[in-house]
Amino acid sequence: MKRLLNLLLVIGILAGLSACDSEDESIYILVNPALIEDIVEDFIEDSSYGVEKQVEIATKVANESITHPAEVYQESLVNYYESEYGYYNYDMIYTANQLESGIEFKSSADGEYQTPYLTSDDRVENDWMLMAIDAGSDYYQINGSSTRFGYQYSKTYEDSFSSKIVFTFDNLEVNRVTSRIKKGTIVFTYMGESSYGETYSNSGTVEYSDYVSVLSLNE
């Protein structure tokens, strides 16, 4: 969970207050790309109810489709986790429809999480296809998109901001036994607005290879 919020180191750093003789004060809010990387990583990690945690739930559905085939799977879940570093608490509902091409997995979750640097109240929406599910293989694939949006508060800078991140999955290969993402690409766009009304955005990729992920920003 990081120095995540260093977080808006940004969203609060006043780079300049105007010229002496001017009556107007110009405030410049700076966004450090390194901090956006931290935010994106928290929106992926399982300890903050990120994509990797929700892939665990999709993996459960994929495995059930092999051991207990059904046309439709539905469930409501309360997901709570707490450690010395923070917690998350989310209510999730999902529906999974068995199709010829795979399993159409749709889910949404509302809740909050907290790290040493940040509190967040947000919503997650997933629209995925679970494919290549085979009892003879330890792996399956996920394609689709996820959106996470809501409001955060930086404990470090005592300021709030809103954010929205959209992930697009391209043939993520997931281990059915461990639920870990082995390889594939997540493309993301990130948008936010500070309490000062400044907007900011960025985009990039998260590349998985042999269970190791590397995050890169485009800007």
Side-chain angles (χ1 to χ4, degrees):
M1 302 291 10
K2 313 188 178 44
R3 42 202 181 265
L4 184 54
L5 287 220
N6 290 264
L7 201 168
L8 289 202
L9 165 111
V10 211
I11 303 189
I13 296 186
L14 308 178
L17 291 177
S18 67
C20 312
D21 347 359
S22 169
E23 295 183 0
D24 296 330
E25 290 187 336
S26 302
I27 299 178
Y28 300 92
I29 307 301
L30 305 179
V31 177
N32 185 329
L35 297 180
I36 292 181
E37 289 186 13
D38 288 343
I39 299 167
V40 172
E41 286 176 357
D42 267 12
F43 282 10
I44 289 176
E45 292 178 352
D46 59 1
S47 55
S48 49
Y49 203 70
V51 166
E52 292 178 352
K53 177 63 181 178
Q54 292 161 71
V55 165
E56 290 182 19
I57 298 166
T59 301
K60 173 188 169 187
V61 172
N63 287 329
E64 284 184 353
S65 73
I66 295 174
T67 57
H68 300 89
E71 289 187 6
V72 180
Y73 304 85
Q74 291 180 311
E75 190 172 5
S76 296
L77 302 171
V78 176
N79 296 277
Y80 181 79
Y81 166 84
E82 184 174 5
S83 75
E84 60 182 312
Y85 303 107
Y87 74 91
Y88 65 68
N89 187 14
Y90 283 83
D91 293 326
M92 179 190 223
I93 184 168
Y94 71 77
T95 301
N97 296 312
Q98 181 78 59
L99 307 175
E100 287 188 13
S101 55
I103 298 175
E104 184 182 52
F105 180 87
K106 295 180 180 288
S107 66
S108 61
D110 294 277
E112 59 186 11
Y113 71 83
Q114 179 171 282
T115 73
Y117 309 99
L118 171 75
T119 62
S120 180
D121 185 348
D122 57 27
R123 177 177 176 84
V124 184
E125 296 177 350
N126 299 316
D127 188 355
W128 300 347
M129 280 296 296
L130 316 183
M131 307 172 68
I133 303 169
D134 187 337
S137 172
D138 287 341
Y139 303 94
Y140 74 102
Q141 293 181 351
I142 300 179
N143 285 281
S145 64
S146 295
T147 303
R148 186 165 186 167
F149 53 93
Y151 300 91
Q152 288 76 41
Y153 176 79
S154 166
K155 300 176 186 177
T156 303
Y157 296 98
E158 299 183 347
D159 202 2
S160 58
F161 61 98
S162 64
S163 64
K164 177 180 179 181
I165 184 166
V166 179
F167 299 104
T168 302
F169 300 167
D170 182 14
N171 292 329
L172 288 189
E173 187 172 283
V174 180
N175 189 309
R176 286 198 304 108
V177 179
T178 65
S179 297
R180 294 179 60 201
I181 300 170
K182 181 181 180 181
K183 65 180 181 179
T185 303
I186 297 177
V187 177
F188 66 85
T189 57
Y190 186 88
M191 296 147 281
E193 181 175 348
S194 75
S195 65
Y196 301 99
E198 293 291 324
T199 58
Y200 52 97
S201 62
N202 215 317
S203 60
T205 60
V206 180
E207 295 280 354
Y208 285 85
S209 177
D210 200 20
Y211 302 106
V212 176
S213 63
V214 177
L215 188 155
S216 302
L217 293 178
N218 292 333
E219 302 173 11

